[in-house]
Amino acid sequence: FLQKKAILLSIKFHKNVIYTSNDIKNKILNYFNHKNILNKTVIYHGVIKQKKIKKKIIIKKKIRLLFVSEFQKYKNHENLFNAIQIAKNKNIFLTCMGRYQKSYIKYLKLKYDLKELNIKIIKNNSHIKILNIYKNYDVFIFPSLCESFGLPVLEAAANKVPIICSNLKVFKEIYGQSCLYFNPNKSKSILNEINNFLSLNKNQIKNKINNAYKISKSLSWTRCGNQYYDIILKSIKSYEKKN
């Protein structure tokens, strides 16, 4: 609540505002009556350029899912765990990696038999180590309930890992048909998309991977930095003309 108030107040006092997606821009601008007085720019995040990746697509019964995110309620680990619990599929393996509070992990362990469900929880590693882990998994899954961008999804795309994620507007804006989408509020919807992925053939999976990878290649940190730099220069020039 306080973060929301601080952001809206900050935007009110600044002429140039940068957003991480059109989705978050539109949501924030709904709070302002005079939208035209704001200089609005969308700059997507970037991803570290990866070495050339050769990803072999092997159709198999066993599926290894990866979810990279801090453990917070809105990240929606519970609905994902519920989906795996409903599935009763011993061939689904889930690894969740990210920062967490011991109290929340204790709560999850009391609610779910993680060993029985083949769910592994790993505390956050360094960013470089995480980037090297993506390619070891069959699918990246991201059930978050809200995001302004969702950087781990882009990192998965850059590592040529097929993506199953929430049907949030921001993901559809950036990735289009490159991902499989589910309703994050419904565990059965999450499970349906996991099963849907398992029904795809090699060419269908390859097309999803290649399309997402092309998008990731266009979104570098260099491009992002240059766009920020251009806006700073324009702001300085505009200020100098007025003074």
Side-chain angles (χ1 to χ4, degrees), residues 20-24 27 44 67-69 74-75 140-155 163-182 184 212 215 219:
T20 53
S21 67
N22 285 297
D23 177 47
I24 196 68
K27 284 175 180 174
Y44 292 145
F67 180 20
V68 176
S69 175
Y74 79 94
K75 294 296 185 179
F140 182 76
I141 192 161
F142 203 75
S144 183
L145 296 170
C146 62
E147 293 291 333
S148 61
F149 185 84
L151 187 57
V153 181
L154 182 60
E155 291 174 346
I163 299 160
I164 307 175
C165 63
S166 303
N167 58 357
L168 300 179
K169 287 182 180 179
V170 63
F171 295 147
K172 291 186 175 182
E173 172 190 330
I174 297 167
Y175 305 101
Q177 297 303 309
S178 301
C179 306
L180 293 176
Y181 298 102
F182 53 73
I215 292 166
L219 299 178

Side-chain angles (χ1 to χ4, degrees), residues 204-217:
Q204 288 173 315
I205 296 171
K206 189 176 180 180
N207 286 336
K208 295 279 187 188
I209 289 172
N210 288 340
N211 290 335
Y213 181 68
K214 284 178 184 176
I215 292 166
S216 74
K217 283 187 74 175

Side-chain angles (χ1 to χ4, degrees), residues 35 51 57 72 76 95 97 106 118 120 124 154 167 177-178 188 205 216 224 239 243:
K35 299 178 180 64
K51 294 177 182 177
I57 301 170
Q72 291 201 37
N76 204 24
T95 298
M97 182 179 294
K106 187 178 179 181
N118 294 323
K120 187 177 181 181
N124 199 38
L154 182 60
N167 58 357
Q177 297 303 309
S178 301
K188 284 187 178 180
I205 296 171
S216 74
C224 179
Y239 178 79
N243 295 276

Side-chain angles (χ1 to χ4, degrees), residues 50-110:
Q50 300 296 300
K51 294 177 182 177
K52 197 169 183 179
I53 298 167
K54 291 183 180 179
K55 180 92 175 172
K56 286 186 179 180
I57 301 170
I58 303 170
I59 303 296
K60 51 190 176 182
K61 289 183 179 179
K62 179 180 174 181
I63 181 171
R64 297 167 301 170
L65 304 173
L66 175 66
F67 180 20
V68 176
S69 175
E70 60 185 326
F71 283 75
Q72 291 201 37
K73 285 285 184 182
Y74 79 94
K75 294 296 185 179
N76 204 24
H77 288 80
E78 288 183 64
N79 273 346
L80 176 56
F81 289 8
N82 287 338
I84 293 173
Q85 191 165 254
I86 293 167
K88 296 179 180 178
N89 186 340
K90 298 299 180 183
N91 291 316
I92 297 176
F93 293 80
L94 171 66
T95 298
C96 296
M97 182 179 294
R99 289 178 298 178
Y100 61 74
Q101 291 183 342
K102 287 182 180 179
S103 58
Y104 188 49
I105 299 302
K106 187 178 179 181
Y107 160 77
L108 290 174
K109 286 181 177 179
L110 286 171

